[in-house]
């Protein structure tokens, strides 16, 4: 364990000390959501993990400039630069304009951030606000001889011209050459080449398109991140984050679009968050089968209980989602708050033991500095609460440190949770069962459970922000 922050750096394939480019400001870029649908709880796990990084950096005394993009154009249904634009498809399905769809899901995403207590970035950066910068970057790549044109299709990046293309993903070049030929775009020189700019099809009017030196069209998905990161963070950045699915393609492409032009190492540390997986093996936004935070809320789960659930496993481990384990996490979270409330009452006339508090703080810092070990930080919290050699006031005083790092809002939740706690366990269980019945569209059962709840003396109201339970 280390006094200073150590992080796993994907590109070095090991845990290394974090040394910022400048002590004044740590620059972080994170790939944001494609806003054609709600974020699923897997996406949100990734942002909770990134928030852990942001909080750990702040705890270590760093100032941060943190940019997250909003992908509102250019992400096609196929990873092979073919298929339809996800945004256009969603707009057609919802009978709305693309801009309305983008706004709706961007707002929903930001709302999820707030409910999960995820720190807002310094800047939200929208792809459609940076079309000029993306065109400029494509021009530079073309001038540097790294791009080629496919007639009636677009401008493509020639990945075999960048000798370090596989450095991040570790792909074997022969493997890349051979590649699977399914969906192989006609005219592409290598399987790993990717679109920088796509020209609009002649037989179909696109809703989103812009003039460019290559004709009316729209940017490829990968170019937006490089262009926006260069604009807002400069030619060298400290940390770039995303999910593990981005390592081999999206992030390798992002590097290829920058380093041959700047001749500098673009990103010092790559942080990749492992996936949340469901029974089907993958939670996927494009198949439309996924769980959202609002669905969890409608089933009676607290957003912070989901955060607690995520923090219980390391960001580099896969997390298998099940309602049983989420139930256990919610009980653990509510139980923790209940324990803290008893402790608060106990702490009334006790002085904080300052030296012990400093030692506790030091211990927490060491744990989190070991590659953001959130589960061990939580385990330490539970051990501390049982430690009779530390008085209740000191324990309560240490919660600020846990809150600063884990963002579980323990101190605030002590107040909020009161309402939930007063409801008997039997009623809470029935509320969960009713939500389940509703989600399965079994309204007869849902209504009969509501009556049972009423007989026990409680009324429930379905509200936009969740279920309200009150004595009736
Ligand atoms: P997207 O909106 O699909 O571009 O994804 C937003 C972020 O969520 C990216 O950083 C992805 O790598 C990440 N992500 C996608 N699926 C999952 C998942 N099942 N578990 C964790 N992170 C994911
Ligand atoms: Zn990106």
């Amino acid at each position: 364990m280390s006094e200073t922050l150590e992080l796993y750096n994907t590109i070095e394939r090991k845990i290394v000390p974090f040394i910022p480019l400048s002590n004044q400001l740590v620059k972080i870029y994170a790939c944001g959501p494609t806003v054609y649908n709600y974020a699923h709880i897997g996406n949100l796990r990734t942002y909770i993990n990134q928030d852990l990084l942001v909080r750990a950096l702040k705890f270590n005394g760093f100032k941060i400039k943190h940019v997250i993009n909003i992908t509102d154009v250019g992400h096609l249904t196929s990873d092979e630069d073919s298929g339809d634009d996800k945004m256009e498809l969603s707009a057609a399905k919802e009978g709305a304009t693309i801009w309305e769809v983008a706004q709706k899901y961007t707002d929903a995403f930001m709302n999820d951030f707030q409910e999960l207590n995820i720190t807002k970035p310094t800047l939200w950066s929208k792809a459609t606000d940076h079309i000029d910068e993306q065109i400029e970057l494509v021009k530079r790549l073309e001038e540097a001889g790294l791009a080629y044109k496919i007639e009636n299709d677009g401008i493509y990046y020639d990945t075999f011209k960048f000798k370090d293309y596989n450095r991040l993903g570790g792909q074997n070049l022969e493997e890349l050459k051979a590649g699977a030929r399914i969906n192989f775009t006609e005219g592409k020189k290598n399987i790993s080449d990717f679109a920088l700019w796509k020209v609009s099809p002649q037989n179909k009017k696109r809703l989103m398109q812009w003039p460019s030196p290559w004709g009316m069209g729209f940017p490829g998905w990968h170019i937006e991140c490089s262009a926006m990161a260069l604009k807002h963070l400069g030619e060298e950045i400290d940390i770039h984050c995303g999910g593990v699915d981005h390592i081999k393609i999206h992030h390798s492409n992002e590097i290829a679009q920058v380093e041959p032009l700047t001749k500098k190492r673009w990103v010092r540390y790559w942080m990749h968050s492992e996936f949340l997986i469901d029974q089907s093996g993958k939670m996927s936004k494009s198949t439309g089968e996924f769980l959202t935070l609002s669905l969890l809320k409608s089933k009676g789960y607290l957003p912070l209980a989901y955060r607690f659930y995520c923090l219980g496993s390391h960001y580099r481990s896969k997390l298998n989602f099940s309602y049983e384990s989420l139930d256990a996490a919610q009980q653990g979270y509510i139980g923790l708050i209940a324990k803290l409330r008893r402790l608060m009452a106990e702490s009334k006339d006790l002085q904080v033991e300052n030296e012990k508090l400093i030692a506790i703080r030091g211990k927490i810092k060491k744990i989190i500095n070991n590659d953001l070990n959130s589960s061990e930080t939580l385990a330490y919290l539970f051990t501390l609460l049982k430690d009779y050699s530390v008085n209740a006031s000191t324990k309560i005083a240490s919660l600020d440190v846990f809150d600063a790092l884990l963002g579980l809002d323990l101190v605030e939740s002590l107040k909020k949770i009161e309402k939930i706690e007063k409801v008997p366990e039997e009623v809470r269980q029935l509320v969960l069962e009713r939500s389940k019945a509703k989600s399965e569209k079994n309204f007869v059962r849902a209504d009969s459970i509501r009556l049972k709840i009423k007989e026990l003396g409680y009324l429930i109201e379905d509200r936009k922000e969740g279920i309200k339970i009150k004595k009736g």
Side-chain angles (χ1 to χ4, degrees), residues 31-34 40 42-43 46-47 75 242-243 245-246 274-276 283 285:
C31 295
T34 311
H40 59 59
N43 301 133
T46 285
Y47 296 104
H75 204 161
D245 55 329
H246 286 343
E274 250 300 351
F275 263 34
L276 177 86
M283 192 164 298
K285 192 145 72 172

Side-chain angles (χ1 to χ4, degrees), residues 348-471:
K348 264 201 183 126
D349 304 315
L350 296 172
Q351 286 283 321
V352 173
E353 305 151 299
N354 279 325
E355 272 181 24
K356 285 188 185 164
L357 186 60
I358 293 169
I360 292 168
R361 194 186 154 89
K363 168 117 193 200
I364 300 171
K365 189 173 171 192
K366 262 192 190 168
I367 299 174
I368 211 74
N369 277 356
N370 178 21
D371 195 26
L372 311 175
N373 200 334
S374 57
S375 55
E376 209 180 312
T377 310
L378 275 178
Y380 176 57
L381 169 61
F382 284 99
T383 309
L384 178 68
L385 294 182
K386 281 190 254 155
D387 184 346
Y388 293 111
S389 72
V390 178
N391 78 22
S393 281
T394 313
K395 287 174 185 169
I396 292 289
S398 75
L399 295 182
D400 283 340
V401 184
F402 286 104
D403 271 346
L405 283 167
L406 302 177
L408 285 171
D409 242 355
L410 296 174
V411 177
E412 267 302 299
S413 299
L414 282 177
K415 298 170 206 156
K416 283 190 215 152
I417 210 86
E418 212 168 329
K419 289 182 216 130
I420 295 177
E421 259 208 306
K422 278 187 188 147
V423 178
E425 184 54 28
E426 189 184 0
V427 174
R428 275 198 345 98
Q429 278 309 326
L430 284 170
V431 171
L432 287 180
E433 275 174 42
R434 176 177 166 272
S435 299
K436 190 162 173 276
K438 270 182 69 183
S439 71
E440 288 162 359
K441 302 216 178 333
N442 189 344
F443 299 111
V444 177
R445 178 163 160 72
D447 282 344
S448 87
I449 298 175
R450 180 199 280 276
L451 283 179
K452 236 192 247 171
I453 294 172
K454 198 169 173 211
E455 280 162 22
L456 291 168
Y458 286 85
L459 294 175
I460 44 179
E461 279 173 26
D462 295 304
R463 294 190 176 180
K464 213 171 88 221
E465 65 277 10
I467 298 168
K468 179 143 176 78
I469 312 168
K470 56 180 191 184
K471 271 206 168 284

Side-chain angles (χ1 to χ4, degrees), residues 58 173 191 198 326 439:
K58 287 187 180 160
L173 276 188
I191 187 82
K198 294 277 285 181
L326 184 60
S439 71

